[in-house]
Amino acid sequence: MSSKVHEDAHLFTQRVWISLCLSRGCDSVEEKQELEALHVAGVEMQLTAAVSFLTILQDESVSVHTYAHSFLQVILLHLEHRDAGVSNAWLETLLSVIEVLPKDTLRHEILNPLVSKAQLSQTVQSRLVSCKILGKLTNKFDALAIKREILPLVKSLCQDVEYEVRSCMCRQLENIAQGIGTELTKSVVLPELIELSRDEGSSVRLAAFETLVNLLDIFDTDDRSQTILPVVKSFCEKSFKADESILISLSFHLGKLCHGLYGIFTPDQHLRFLEFYKKLCTLGLQQENGHNENQIPPQILEQEKKYISVRKNCAYNFPAMIVFVDPKNFHMELYSTFFCLCHDPEVPVRYTIAICFYEVSKLLNSGVYLIHKELITLLQDESLEVLDALIDHLPEILELMSTGGESSVQENKLSSLPDLVPALTAAEQRAAASLKWRTHEKLLQKYACLPQVISSDQIYYRFLQRMFTIMMTNNVLPVQKAASRTLCIFLRYNRKQEQRHEVIQKLIEQLGQGKSYWNRLRFLDTCEFIIEIFSKSFFCKYFFLPAIELTHDPVANVRMKLCYLLPKVKSTLKIPADKHLLQQLEMCVRKLLCQEKDKDVLAIVKRTVLELDRMEMSMDAFQKKFYEKDLLDQEKEREELLLLEMEQLEKEKQQNDGRPMSDKTFEKKRRDSKTPTSLPKNIPISVPGSSSATPSTSKEIKKSKLIRSQSFNNQAFHAKYGNLDKCTTSKSSTAAYTPSVSGLSKTSMISLTDDSFRMRNTNSAPSSFSSNTSLPSTSRGTGNSVDPKSSGSKDTQPRKATLKSRKSNP
């Protein structure tokens, strides 16, 4: 029988839903009887109906008038349901309905009946519901109506005999104060709050305290100093003798309280509040015992959990307390407290202070050097949650650490953080060893800021090789991609051509020509990042040929991924300078069309060919249509050329002076000579290439180039490594994809010679290079060919695999 009633109730709800969706309302006697029958339905049915009515209101399935006429009384009828969950569900629906009902309906259907519902003769539940409804109604009426019709009920409920009602009404006073304005708040609401703050019930006093804190902005200085401050002092003094839940709330609101009362404290009061905060920061840490957790009484464990919450709230309010004491006094007043919070034995406390670390760094400004050790401590924290919270703003924190400090001399930035590099490498290794790959991915993404903070050699020897290892061995694709992109950024800002060549060769040999098809897929991901981060000419010189040679790869997935990348590859070409590369691209595409046997790859090839045909080729000369993209590419190319010039001029300077230029001196000069973030209007359109393009024999020109080379890295790599994130890969160029490139205009075109990126001779190659190997380059007619048949035992057999497949080492 009960199951039949339950089924009938659900059928009833469905009929009501359909009726509302068809906007018929519920005017018939039968439908009204069914709605009234909802009163005897079970708890599950009541909850379902309450949620359904709210959804219908939010979806505007019926007009407001129809909704109020048909269902408002039903909602009001169930507000006092014996089940608290059902009552709260209907109350939430009513509070949402109040937002859209007209004033007349609110007055007649809700406010007028509320006068009787708020009387002492009614149940406690009825009076509690009345409190919440009154708090909502104040936003719908003007101040005069509130004063005449609502405030008498509010005062009555504030004096209710039950502490639950007084506490509930007290928490609604904030909404009421916002509705009646400042004057009525001071004359009516403030006296009620002061009286409630002396209530015998601790929950009522707590509600009054929190409401006072939230309303501090409304009151003037006299009210704060003469009325509110004594109440707050008394509340704080009695808090340690009261329930720990009061301490939790007090610690959470203390920052807001000190900010709101700032300026009215006497020196003695200021000191007392500061000492009170310090005491809360160490609450529970003094109780040391050697007992096993299983031997501690439950009440003690519960108390310790509350103390942890207090310290966590103190960590949350720490930036506000720095403002309270003034950042200049941080070392004297708050450093020891900050040290304790960073070394707190509980993870939630350290997690919260790690979240606030960036705000603390910003507030300290030039005094940020004071918390260098705490940064290292949090980076080395055993909990990955703490590390995850800290690295959200790691680039900004490291920038502040490198540009701030006791003095503004930039050569101190590395010596002041001697443990930074070991801490960063250890943090990455802990993240890699865990199962939390998202934290590892985020950390690798944030490491892209390191060229701004530490030297190029440190990145090369401590981080860049690690990125290679992750790309080759990690099993998580997002982590591999994050390592690949960060490696490309490290390569972009590496200051030694010898190291850059070694990295490029490793990318090509170990990834592009690797035995595992998974590595070759990662090489294509790296090519995509190269196109995004570097200039077009850089990609064409070193990566164009190795990329398109993967059209012969024995694994279908590799050929498929390359097909998706081909439009971006073509967008890097400029005509007529890259005519021979365009011809090779066309030849590879033709081979794919003619020789591809995999039907899925062939389908993608055909779609790619159509897309390539629609693309327009970029010209050597600037074109109005793509002026911004061309200008951005020229800026990238200029910076890459300056890297070469910088290294050459540094060598000449070392030979002339007889001593090397230190990283510290270089960083200082680089920081002191800023370059504008956009190209100047008089920048030459031609790209400097061979030695004959500029009067390099002039000492003044060399000096100018050195200054520019020392400054561009800082300009291009902003705090958020901005330009790299804003760079978008070029998807358009300016000539149709046709087998022939003849007939193109050759006027107003820039010739980019291969001397722009001259490589070292074999005598200066690193030891990892063999004397008879060289990097692929567009200066040659053909590149180093990859023999796909010799790229691994299992890879020699063509096979298909889904692009989403996990890593497989053939």
Side-chain angles (χ1 to χ4, degrees):
M1 182 67 181
S2 60
S3 61
K4 186 177 186 304
V5 172
H6 187 73
E7 182 180 354
D8 291 342
H10 278 286
L11 292 174
F12 159 75
T13 303
Q14 293 175 7
R15 289 200 300 270
V16 171
W17 174 262
I18 294 172
S19 175
L20 288 171
C21 289
L22 294 176
S23 302
R24 296 192 291 108
C26 292
D27 295 330
S28 68
V29 175
E30 182 181 359
E31 286 174 335
K32 287 184 178 181
Q33 289 175 349
E34 288 178 334
L35 284 172
E36 292 173 359
L38 182 63
H39 185 62
V40 297
V43 171
E44 184 180 348
M45 183 59 219
Q46 291 272 358
L47 293 173
T48 303
V51 174
S52 299
F53 284 12
L54 179 59
T55 303
I56 294 166
L57 175 70
Q58 293 171 345
D59 292 346
E60 300 179 352
S61 302
V62 296
S63 66
V64 174
H65 174 75
T66 302
Y67 191 94
H69 175 70
S70 303
F71 299 105
L72 182 57
Q73 288 302 321
V74 179
I75 296 172
L76 293 172
L77 181 65
H78 296 87
L79 288 177
E80 298 179 36
H81 194 278
R82 60 183 178 275
D83 186 276
V86 172
S87 177
N88 289 331
W90 285 111
L91 178 60
E92 291 299 321
T93 301
L94 177 62
L95 295 179
S96 299
V97 172
I98 289 175
E99 292 286 347
V100 299
L101 291 179
K103 289 183 180 180
D104 291 340
T105 303
L106 290 174
R107 179 175 280 106
H108 292 96
E109 300 293 340
I110 298 179
L111 183 57
N112 291 342
L114 209 60
V115 176
S116 61
K117 295 290 185 181
Q119 299 301 316
L120 288 175
S121 58
Q122 297 294 323
T123 63
V124 173
Q125 184 179 353
S126 176
R127 303 202 298 275
L128 289 172
V129 170
S130 299
C131 293
K132 295 179 180 179
I133 294 176
L134 285 173
K136 196 71 173 181
L137 286 175
T138 52
N139 295 326
K140 302 297 292 184
F141 294 96
D142 54 50
L144 183 60
I146 294 173
K147 181 180 180 180
R148 185 177 64 251
E149 302 180 49
I150 294 180
L151 286 184
L153 293 175
V154 171
K155 290 182 178 181
S156 174
L157 291 169
C158 284
Q159 304 299 325
D160 196 276
V161 295
E162 298 293 339
Y163 74 91
E164 299 104 316
V165 178
R166 299 196 300 274
S167 176
C168 183
M169 191 67 253
C170 183
R171 294 191 181 278
Q172 299 301 320
L173 290 179
E174 181 180 353
N175 294 331
I176 294 171
Q178 293 172 354
I180 61 179
T182 304
E183 293 302 322
L184 279 176
T185 298
K186 293 169 63 176
S187 61
V188 178
V189 175
L190 184 58
E192 293 293 338
L193 283 172
I194 300 302
E195 184 175 351
L196 289 170
S197 67
R198 305 188 185 101
D199 195 276
E200 59 184 10
S202 61
S203 62
V204 180
R205 296 196 302 271
L206 181 60
F209 169 76
E210 292 178 355
T211 305
L212 276 172
V213 173
N214 293 332
L215 292 176
L216 279 176
D217 294 338
I218 295 180
F219 304 117
D220 56 27
T221 304
D222 292 338
D223 290 327
R224 295 180 193 177
S225 58
Q226 299 175 10
T227 306
I228 298 176
L229 183 57
V231 173
V232 170
K233 286 174 56 181
S234 175
F235 187 82
C236 294
E237 290 169 358
K238 297 177 181 178
S239 60
F240 281 100
K241 302 177 183 179
D243 192 315
E244 286 84 2
S245 59
I246 292 181
L247 285 176
I248 294 175
S249 175
L250 179 57
S251 62
F252 181 77
H253 290 89
L254 192 59
K256 190 174 183 179
L257 177 65
C258 291
H259 176 74
L261 296 178
Y262 187 80
I264 67 172
F265 286 121
T266 63
D268 181 61
Q269 291 170 341
H270 189 280
L271 181 61
R272 290 175 65 182
F273 268 88
L274 180 60
E275 292 301 321
F276 179 73
Y277 172 76
K278 292 180 180 179
K279 189 175 181 180
L280 290 179
C281 288
T282 58
L283 187 65
L285 295 180
Q286 301 86 352
Q287 302 176 358
E288 297 182 0
N289 57 72
H291 298 293
N292 191 328
E293 185 173 329
N294 296 327
Q295 300 175 350
I296 301 176
Q299 60 270 22
I300 301 298
L301 285 176
E302 188 65 27
Q303 185 184 55
E304 288 182 355
K305 289 180 181 178
K306 292 181 179 179
Y307 287 161
I308 293 172
S309 297
V310 170
R311 300 200 303 273
K312 177 182 176 182
N313 290 339
C314 289
Y316 167 78
N317 282 302
F318 194 84
M321 297 308 297
I322 292 180
V323 176
F324 183 66
V325 302
D326 194 308
K328 296 178 181 178
N329 301 320
F330 170 79
H331 189 261
M332 295 280 295
E333 302 289 353
L334 283 176
Y335 174 74
S336 59
T337 302
F338 186 69
F339 178 87
C340 290
L341 291 173
C342 290
H343 292 81
D344 194 278
E346 300 298 330
V347 172
V349 181
R350 303 197 305 274
Y351 173 83
T352 306
I353 201 66
I355 291 177
C356 299
F357 199 95
Y358 174 51
E359 292 297 326
V360 173
S361 302
K362 284 197 300 183
L363 289 170
L364 293 181
N365 197 10
S366 60
V368 71
Y369 69 94
L370 294 170
I371 59 174
H372 284 175
K373 293 181 179 179
E374 283 62 44
L375 173 64
I376 303 301
T377 299
L378 293 177
L379 282 172
Q380 295 174 338
D381 196 280
E382 60 184 11
S383 171
L384 279 181
E385 294 180 10
V386 176
L387 178 62
D388 189 84
L390 182 67
I391 62 178
D392 281 334
H393 292 285
L394 185 63
E396 295 87 348
I397 293 172
L398 292 180
E399 183 197 11
L400 289 169
M401 293 289 181
S402 64
T403 58
E406 189 171 9
S407 65
S408 59
V409 180
Q410 296 305 316
E411 60 189 83
N412 291 331
K413 75 170 187 175
L414 295 178
S415 60
S416 63
L417 294 170
D419 300 326
L420 176 61
V421 172
L424 289 173
T425 55
E428 187 276 323
Q429 290 172 0
R430 285 201 319 279
S434 72
L435 297 177
K436 298 182 178 180
W437 64 265
R438 288 182 177 84
T439 299
H440 192 199
E441 178 194 14
K442 188 199 301 186
L443 186 63
L444 294 176
Q445 291 170 345
K446 300 299 181 180
Y447 278 4
C449 73
L450 292 182
Q452 184 192 11
V453 181
I454 60 179
S455 69
S456 176
D457 281 342
Q458 284 180 307
I459 291 175
Y460 178 76
Y461 290 110
R462 300 300 297 273
F463 294 96
L464 200 146
Q465 306 300 326
R466 177 61 181 165
M467 297 302 112
F468 261 117
T469 303
I470 295 172
M471 292 171 63
M472 298 285 290
T473 62
N474 197 279
N475 294 324
V476 182
L477 180 57
V479 172
Q480 287 184 310
K481 287 190 174 182
S484 175
R485 191 179 193 282
T486 301
L487 182 144
C488 291
I489 294 175
F490 289 166
L491 176 63
R492 174 70 175 79
Y493 293 99
N494 187 285
R495 286 172 41 199
K496 293 187 177 179
Q497 188 179 16
E498 185 175 316
Q499 294 176 355
R500 290 197 299 273
H501 283 171
E502 182 180 353
V503 173
I504 293 170
Q505 181 167 335
K506 279 189 175 182
L507 285 172
I508 295 171
E509 291 181 353
Q510 298 183 22
L511 292 182
Q513 301 172 2
K515 294 183 178 181
S516 170
Y517 87 100
W518 189 261
N519 288 340
R520 300 197 294 276
L521 288 174
R522 300 293 72 78
F523 176 73
L524 292 176
D525 289 331
T526 305
C527 287
E528 191 168 359
F529 294 135
I530 293 288
I531 293 173
E532 173 191 351
I533 296 170
F534 289 81
S535 67
K536 297 178 181 180
S537 55
F538 182 92
F539 176 82
C540 289
K541 184 173 182 63
Y542 296 115
F543 292 93
F544 186 94
L545 295 177
I548 64 173
E549 284 171 359
L550 290 178
T551 54
H552 308 293
D553 196 276
V555 178
N557 268 14
V558 179
R559 302 194 302 276
M560 189 182 299
K561 189 174 184 67
L562 176 62
C563 290
Y564 286 120
L565 186 64
L566 285 179
K568 292 183 179 180
V569 171
K570 183 183 177 183
S571 69
T572 63
L573 300 178
K574 293 182 179 180
I575 299 301
D578 298 324
K579 178 180 177 181
H580 62 292
L581 295 179
L582 178 60
Q583 292 173 345
Q584 294 209 33
L585 176 63
E586 293 168 349
M587 186 183 304
C588 291
V589 173
R590 289 195 202 98
K591 287 183 179 179
L592 279 175
L593 281 172
C594 299
Q595 301 176 5
E596 183 58 53
K597 297 179 180 179
D598 188 284
K599 61 179 182 179
D600 295 328
V601 178
L602 185 60
I604 295 173
V605 171
K606 291 179 179 178
R607 290 201 300 267
T608 303
V609 168
L610 294 176
E611 185 176 354
L612 293 173
D613 286 339
R614 289 193 296 266
M615 288 182 62
E616 295 180 341
M617 291 295 297
S618 181
M619 312 296 289
D620 277 341
F622 276 108
Q623 295 171 288
K624 186 176 182 180
K625 185 178 180 180
F626 305 111
Y627 180 77
E628 292 184 2
K629 291 182 179 180
D630 291 343
L631 198 64
L632 178 61
D633 183 68
Q634 187 189 41
E635 177 69 4
K636 292 179 184 178
E637 193 169 332
R638 186 181 70 88
E639 293 169 1
E640 292 160 5
L641 293 170
L642 286 176
L643 274 175
L644 299 176
E645 295 176 4
M646 175 174 62
E647 185 176 16
Q648 183 63 32
L649 292 174
E650 283 179 356
K651 287 183 178 180
E652 293 180 6
K653 181 174 177 60
Q654 292 172 16
Q655 294 174 357
N656 294 335
D657 297 346
R659 57 184 178 86
M661 179 187 293
S662 66
D663 272 342
K664 295 179 180 180
T665 306
F666 170 78
E667 290 294 338
K668 180 177 183 301
K669 290 187 177 183
R670 182 173 66 85
R671 294 281 185 177
D672 290 343
S673 54
K674 302 280 186 180
T675 58
T677 57
S678 59
L679 286 176
K681 294 182 179 179
N682 58 352
I683 189 168
I685 294 180
S686 60
V687 179
S690 61
S691 58
S692 61
T694 55
S696 56
T697 56
S698 170
K699 294 183 179 180
E700 290 77 7
I701 295 299
K702 282 190 176 184
K703 183 177 181 182
S704 174
K705 286 184 178 180
L706 179 59
I707 293 176
R708 287 187 292 121
S709 65
Q710 291 170 341
S711 63
F712 93 90
N713 200 18
N714 181 58
Q715 164 259 321
F717 200 99
H718 192 258
K720 298 179 183 297
Y721 37 99
N723 284 348
L724 295 180
D725 291 335
K726 294 178 182 177
C727 291
T728 56
T729 54
S730 303
K731 295 183 180 179
S732 57
S733 312
T734 36
Y737 180 79
T738 57
S740 174
V741 292
S742 59
L744 294 172
S745 172
K746 296 185 180 181
T747 58
S748 303
M749 295 186 179
I750 310 166
S751 177
L752 177 61
T753 67
D754 294 325
D755 291 336
S756 301
F757 295 101
R758 286 191 301 272
M759 298 166 46
R760 292 176 177 269
N761 56 36
T762 55
N763 293 332
S764 62
S767 57
S768 59
F769 284 83
S770 60
S771 60
N772 59 350
T773 60
S774 61
L775 294 174
S777 170
T778 58
S779 60
R780 295 173 293 162
T782 58
N784 291 339
S785 61
V786 183
D787 184 5
K789 300 298 180 182
S790 61
S791 60
S793 58
K794 294 185 179 180
D795 276 358
T796 57
Q797 299 298 325
R799 62 179 182 176
K800 282 174 54 178
T802 174
L803 279 173
K804 296 182 180 179
S805 61
R806 293 181 177 271
K807 177 177 177 180
S808 172
N809 287 320

